[in-house]
Amino acid sequence: DKAYDRLLFASAMTIADRVIVEDGELEVDLPYVALEMFSSTAQDRVFYQVSGLNGEIVTGYRDLPGAAGGGDGSPVFFDAEYRGLTVRVAVLSKPIHVNGVKGRFTVKVAQTKGERNRLISDFMVGATIRLVLLLVLAAAFTWMGITLGLAPLKRLQVTIRMRSSQDLSPLETDVPREVLDLVMAINGLMTRIGGSFTSMRRFITDASHQL
């Protein structure tokens, strides 16, 4: 929007530079060929208006919407509806003091928004496609990472399931460092349980011998 607004401002400045004073009246020496550069594409239409010191229309489209421009010479931009079209309007107010004519005149330049809307649409479509591809790649890499990361835990699960209920020896399998402490804790528990079973068997043996 800023880029297109700068083009509108440049167009308004070009028209303002062609405003002259003839016989005490404002005139615009602007050939039709000069207007062709104001339109960026053949699909867009351009409208302009130059109003005099008292608001009278010097040239251009009389019903073009818009208020006076900034008093400091800065342009005013806004969107409007004109002849059933959505247009972007730039309004520029400039002072003039030539041959006894003193005051401010206003230049308005409006352009339909077809080109900028098409460009915005292209940007949005391109950004959406890139975002979808990025999400798909991120999901694929995440799935691969989780699968590879959990593979040692899967092997540990299989090892535990295949063990006999009498086998309390420590687990020996490759696991990620993040769960190594867990495996060591399980091995410690199994060692303590094995010690308890040994003591129980010894007690049962001694008790049966005494009986």
Side-chain angles (χ1 to χ4, degrees):
D1 280 340
K2 289 181 179 179
Y4 277 99
D5 285 349
R6 282 195 292 268
L7 289 176
L8 279 179
F9 174 60
S11 302
M13 286 292 296
T14 300
I15 295 177
D17 290 342
R18 303 302 295 266
V19 174
I20 59 176
V21 177
E22 287 287 345
D23 300 327
E25 299 290 337
L26 293 184
E27 293 186 4
V28 183
D29 181 20
L30 186 64
Y32 177 76
V33 176
L35 293 176
E36 293 181 354
M37 72 175 188
F38 298 154
S39 180
S40 58
T41 64
Q43 288 77 19
D44 278 335
R45 297 183 60 187
V46 177
F47 311 95
Y48 73 100
Q49 179 194 102
V50 179
S51 55
L53 310 182
N54 299 316
E56 73 279 5
I57 304 300
V58 177
T59 184
Y61 296 82
R62 294 184 173 275
D63 55 345
L64 193 63
D72 58 352
S74 60
V76 175
F77 300 98
F78 60 91
D79 293 333
E81 292 292 328
Y82 182 63
R83 298 188 177 184
L85 302 172
T86 301
V87 295
R88 181 72 168 173
V89 185
V91 182
L92 176 66
S93 178
K94 290 198 67 176
I96 189 169
H97 190 184
V98 179
N99 299 332
V101 176
K102 182 179 180 181
R104 304 185 73 88
F105 65 93
T106 302
V107 177
K108 301 176 187 177
V109 179
Q111 184 182 32
T112 54
K113 300 182 67 175
E115 176 65 16
R116 67 172 70 192
N117 288 341
R118 184 196 63 79
L119 186 60
I120 291 174
S121 177
D122 290 345
F123 279 143
M124 291 296 294
V125 171
T128 301
I129 292 175
R130 288 191 293 271
L131 181 59
V132 169
L133 290 177
L134 179 62
L135 290 176
V136 170
L137 289 175
F141 280 117
T142 301
W143 179 81
M144 291 175 57
I146 293 176
T147 301
L148 294 177
L150 295 181
L153 296 180
K154 192 71 174 179
R155 292 196 297 269
L156 178 62
Q157 178 187 16
V158 173
T159 300
I160 293 176
R161 284 184 175 179
M162 293 178 63
R163 279 204 167 201
S164 168
S165 59
Q166 304 298 321
D167 186 2
L168 296 177
S169 61
L171 297 172
E172 295 181 359
T173 182
D174 294 330
V175 294
R177 289 182 299 175
E178 291 78 8
V179 295
L180 182 59
D181 292 340
L182 174 62
V183 173
M184 293 178 63
I186 293 175
N187 286 338
L189 176 63
M190 294 177 70
T191 300
R192 291 193 298 273
I193 293 175
S196 298
F197 282 171
T198 300
S199 299
M200 185 183 303
R201 283 194 294 268
R202 184 180 301 114
F203 171 77
I204 293 175
T205 300
D206 292 341
S208 62
H209 176 71
Q210 294 298 328
L211 292 173

